[in-house]
Amino acid sequence: VAAVASAWRLPGLPAGDGRFGLAVGFVLLAAAGWLVTAARLHRRQGRLSRPLRFPLEGAWYVVQGGGPAVNHHARVPEQRAALDLVALGRYGTRTRPGRELTAYAAYGRPVRSPCDGRVVSAADGVADQRPGEIRYQPPYGNHVFLDTGREIVKLAHLRPGSVTVAEGDTVRAGQVLGEVGNSGNSTEPHLHLHAERDGVGLDLEFEGVSGRLYRGRTVRG
């Protein structure tokens, strides 16, 4: 809006009528709008055969999701449709004043299993990162990976000491698996979630959640 308002003044500026600059500005704005829209509507083949249960409660903001322009996971084959989710507090903010982990609305929130399945990998002993910093750790940090018999569902960056299951356990949808943390390749407390089949990321669908899941959307669990 500010760009359009500024461009509207171009014809009256001393440098000339500015019509060429105005046209270029509108072309650039239209191209940016098309790029974001295409990324938000992006969908790959190989969707999950049945919807998952949303693993979190309350309002969650999608900070990574959608096509390559709005989702850095899209470059990794098995994570092409992955989501990164952060919690929103009472006033729609992600944090309270302060840099400690507990200042983040997401930190320590329960993570429930999105499906029935068997635990094929679990980790619980990776320390949390300091917010805004990353030192080397296993990328997923504390995590739970579930085999549904059709696909592998991965939940990552859990709080150390919170994981309630171990490899070989059978879990049911809705069962608490752990809590949101900041372990692994993470700069702020959030939940990473994706599903893959034969090494290819699948589009995620959740019961009671309609429409595409893209960066900038708020989902209520």
Side-chain angles (χ1 to χ4, degrees), residues 103-128:
Y104 289 80
Y107 190 73
R109 298 279 288 274
V111 177
R112 298 181 179 274
S113 178
C115 56
D116 297 342
R118 181 175 59 85
V119 179
V120 293
S121 180
D124 189 49
V126 182
D128 281 320

Side-chain angles (χ1 to χ4, degrees), residues 176-213:
V176 174
L177 301 177
E179 298 175 2
V180 176
N182 197 46
S183 59
N185 188 14
S186 176
T187 56
E188 72 170 288
H190 73 284
L191 178 68
H192 171 97
L193 172 64
H194 79 262
E196 60 183 81
R197 184 183 301 142
D198 299 325
V200 177
L202 307 176
D203 291 305
L204 297 172
E205 293 184 349
F206 297 101
E207 298 171 356
V209 178
S210 59
R212 308 291 174 87
L213 296 165

Side-chain angles (χ1 to χ4, degrees), residues 101-165:
L101 287 167
T102 54
Y104 289 80
Y107 190 73
R109 298 279 288 274
V111 177
R112 298 181 179 274
S113 178
C115 56
D116 297 342
R118 181 175 59 85
V119 179
V120 293
S121 180
D124 189 49
V126 182
D128 281 320
Q129 303 275 21
R130 292 184 59 186
E133 301 178 10
I134 293 183
R135 60 187 186 279
Y136 177 76
Q137 290 183 347
Y140 289 114
N142 301 312
H143 63 267
V144 176
F145 298 166
L146 300 172
D147 185 350
T148 71
R150 293 181 58 86
E151 54 269 327
I152 304 296
V153 179
K154 297 185 175 182
L155 304 98
H157 310 312
L158 304 178
R159 185 180 69 81
S162 72
V163 176
T164 63
V165 296

Side-chain angles (χ1 to χ4, degrees), residues 25-171:
F26 275 117
V27 169
L28 292 175
L29 285 171
W34 177 86
L35 185 65
V36 172
T37 300
R40 287 186 165 193
L41 297 178
H42 180 81
R43 185 178 287 281
R44 296 181 180 273
Q45 296 181 348
R47 289 168 36 173
L48 286 174
S49 58
R50 53 188 171 84
L52 300 171
R53 174 172 174 165
F54 195 70
L56 302 160
E57 299 174 354
W60 292 79
Y61 182 79
V62 181
V63 291
Q64 294 292 332
V70 292
N71 188 0
H72 67 238
H73 301 107
R75 299 187 298 270
V76 182
E78 65 270 20
Q79 297 185 22
R80 286 173 177 170
L83 299 177
D84 281 348
L85 301 161
V86 297
L88 298 179
R90 180 180 301 177
Y91 303 108
T93 58
R94 289 150 64 170
T95 66
R96 299 184 299 274
R99 294 278 293 178
E100 64 274 10
L101 287 167
T102 54
Y104 289 80
Y107 190 73
R109 298 279 288 274
V111 177
R112 298 181 179 274
S113 178
C115 56
D116 297 342
R118 181 175 59 85
V119 179
V120 293
S121 180
D124 189 49
V126 182
D128 281 320
Q129 303 275 21
R130 292 184 59 186
E133 301 178 10
I134 293 183
R135 60 187 186 279
Y136 177 76
Q137 290 183 347
Y140 289 114
N142 301 312
H143 63 267
V144 176
F145 298 166
L146 300 172
D147 185 350
T148 71
R150 293 181 58 86
E151 54 269 327
I152 304 296
V153 179
K154 297 185 175 182
L155 304 98
H157 310 312
L158 304 178
R159 185 180 69 81
S162 72
V163 176
T164 63
V165 296
E167 184 175 341
D169 288 352
T170 299
V171 302

